[in-house]
């Protein structure tokens, strides 16, 4: 299993930007398909975005397409989520997740998870 640590969350006003980071450690980062999810208490984790090892595949939820960008720096074992034009509906805990050998959107398909980082967007 790879260990994941998210950072970069915070409190921002509507329309602002944030960049989340997810640092991986524990084993080789090579080949991992990395995802971002978000969750509010009492609800299921919702897919936000994902990226393949080679960057050949990027995937976005419809609600964030055009505003969020996922990218990775494999030399630093880090995945990023650039979030622009944030809205109050984007207030959630954001989680980084990893899986290998598949392209996925379901939380159940990801075996490694970070602890989450809070993003709060005020109106």
């Amino acid at each position: 299993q790879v260990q994941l640590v998210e950072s970069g969350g915070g409190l921002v006003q509507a329309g602002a930007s944030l960049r989340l980071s997810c640092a991986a450690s524990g084993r080789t980062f090579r080949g991992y398909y990395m995802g971002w999810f978000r969750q509010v208490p009492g609800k299921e984790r919702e897919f936000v975005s994902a990226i393949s090892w080679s960057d050949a595949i990027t995937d976005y939820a419809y609600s964030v397409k055009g505003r969020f960008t996922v990218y990775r720096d494999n030399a630093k074992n880090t995945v990023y989520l650039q979030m622009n034009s944030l809205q109050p509906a984007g207030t959630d805990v954001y989680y980084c997740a990893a899986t290998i050998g598949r392209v996925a959107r379901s939380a159940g398909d990801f075996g490694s998870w970070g602890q989450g980082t809070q993003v709060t967007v005020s109106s």
Side-chain angles (χ1 to χ4, degrees), residues 2 27-33 53-54 72 74 77 99-101:
V2 63
R27 59 177 297 169
T28 178
F29 196 45
R30 184 175 184 82
Y32 275 92
Y33 188 77
W53 159 257
S54 64
R72 62 195 292 167
N74 290 331
N77 287 356
T99 188
I100 194 164

Side-chain angles (χ1 to χ4, degrees), residues 83-105:
M83 306 186 296
N84 298 331
S85 301
L86 283 163
Q87 299 302 314
T91 295
D92 282 306
V93 178
Y94 284 73
Y95 295 90
C96 176
T99 188
I100 194 164
R102 67 178 80 188
V103 172
R105 281 190 162 208

Side-chain angles (χ1 to χ4, degrees), residues 27-86:
R27 59 177 297 169
T28 178
F29 196 45
R30 184 175 184 82
Y32 275 92
Y33 188 77
M34 303 298 297
W36 286 97
F37 290 77
R38 59 190 182 190
Q39 185 176 31
V40 292
K43 289 191 175 182
E44 294 185 355
R45 275 179 199 183
E46 176 187 53
F47 173 79
V48 176
S49 183
I51 186 169
S52 62
W53 159 257
S54 64
D55 296 349
I57 299 172
T58 56
D59 191 13
Y60 297 94
Y62 179 79
S63 60
V64 306
K65 208 165 190 177
R67 298 187 298 117
F68 290 12
T69 301
V70 63
Y71 60 101
R72 62 195 292 167
D73 184 340
N74 290 331
K76 295 183 178 180
N77 287 356
T78 302
V79 177
Y80 304 93
L81 184 68
Q82 177 67 43
M83 306 186 296
N84 298 331
S85 301
L86 283 163

Side-chain angles (χ1 to χ4, degrees), residues 104-116:
R105 281 190 162 208
S106 172
D109 290 331
F110 289 79
S112 298
W113 291 85
Q115 82 291 347

Side-chain angles (χ1 to χ4, degrees), residues 11-33:
L11 171 63
V12 297
Q13 290 190 328
S17 298
L18 275 177
R19 188 183 75 165
L20 304 183
S21 300
C22 172
S25 63
R27 59 177 297 169
T28 178
F29 196 45
R30 184 175 184 82
Y32 275 92
Y33 188 77

